[in-house]
Amino acid sequence: MAEPLPPTRPRFPGSGLAKGLAVTLRTMTKKTVTEQYPDAQPDLPPRTRGVIGLFEENCTVCMLCARECPDWCIYIDSHKETVPPAAPGGRERSRNVLDRFAIDFSLCMYCGICIEVCPFDALFWSPEFEYAETDIRDLTHEREKLREWMWTVPAPPALDAGAEEPKEIAAARKTAEKLAATQAEPQEGTS
């Protein structure tokens, strides 16, 4: 057998209207939080994912970013160039030279895998987000455009004050101190 329903309160005529007006009056007295976007730029969080910038000098054309991209939206073309030996009697070396680096932002899903897998820190997130186009074909940004986005990449955050010194810096400092000590010894003995 079904249980009886709980008793309902009697409704007064116009009580719903009064509640609605009370909500409206409360909202009217509060300060608005809407930002007038084109006139005032929004304050973005420091790790905002806007557009990807290319630091071309660090790119070795290893193709990791293009291979790992789940959308296949990174296009890279290169050629090999022979470099003369650095020292006499050395052998010639070959290196890859970047011809084309493009990202199709109409396909990109902003996952950041390309930035994470780049072993040479050639790709960075820029907080810029105003790159809309009227034609979808214009959303493929070539390396010149990606290089321009690098100027908007924020500096990396500073290390914590109580953090341990990186091993690389500690090793370099110790080596520099040893070198300075060995150079100072002969000068002290000759005087």
Side-chain angles (χ1 to χ4, degrees):
M1 222 167 148
E3 294 183 26
L5 295 173
T8 59
R9 288 194 264 158
R11 291 189 165 224
F12 298 106
S15 64
L17 178 64
K19 286 181 184 178
L21 288 174
V23 169
T24 303
L25 288 173
R26 254 184 286 143
T27 307
M28 284 175 52
T29 58
K30 291 182 181 176
K31 184 181 178 208
T32 59
V33 293
T34 304
E35 293 183 20
Q36 301 301 320
Y37 163 62
D39 300 328
Q41 291 295 321
D43 293 328
L44 300 172
R47 295 179 63 187
T48 299
R49 292 182 177 189
V51 71
I52 298 170
L54 171 68
F55 189 55
E56 192 175 339
E57 289 76 19
N58 285 0
C59 184
T60 61
V61 196
C62 66
M63 304 281 199
L64 272 175
C65 54
R67 280 194 303 243
E68 296 297 324
C69 179
D71 292 332
W72 292 86
C73 64
I74 299 176
Y75 311 113
I76 300 175
D77 292 332
S78 67
H79 69 275
K80 290 206 180 268
E81 203 172 78
T82 305
V83 180
R91 65 182 178 99
E92 292 182 339
R93 308 239 178 210
S94 66
R95 69 179 183 109
N96 288 327
V97 177
L98 186 64
D99 292 330
R100 179 181 187 223
F101 192 104
I103 298 176
D104 188 353
F105 285 103
S106 65
L107 296 176
C108 182
M109 64 179 177
Y110 305 92
C111 64
I113 293 175
C114 57
I115 294 169
E116 295 296 322
V117 300
C118 182
F120 302 104
D121 290 335
L123 297 173
F124 294 91
W125 281 119
S126 168
E128 293 296 317
F129 59 90
E130 297 174 323
Y131 55 95
E133 298 287 345
T134 55
D135 188 5
I136 196 167
R137 292 174 291 214
D138 294 335
L139 283 173
T140 301
H141 293 176
E142 297 292 332
R143 71 181 185 182
E144 292 79 21
K145 183 72 172 173
L146 297 174
R147 187 182 312 122
E148 289 175 20
W149 295 118
M150 272 307 295
W151 298 111
T152 61
V153 172
L159 296 175
D160 291 338
E164 184 179 311
E165 185 177 38
K167 294 175 187 172
E168 297 87 358
I169 295 175
R173 187 176 38 76
K174 287 178 184 176
T175 305
E177 288 172 359
K178 286 180 185 177
L179 182 62
T182 56
Q183 290 177 349
E185 286 175 7
Q187 293 174 355
E188 291 173 3
T190 57
S191 47

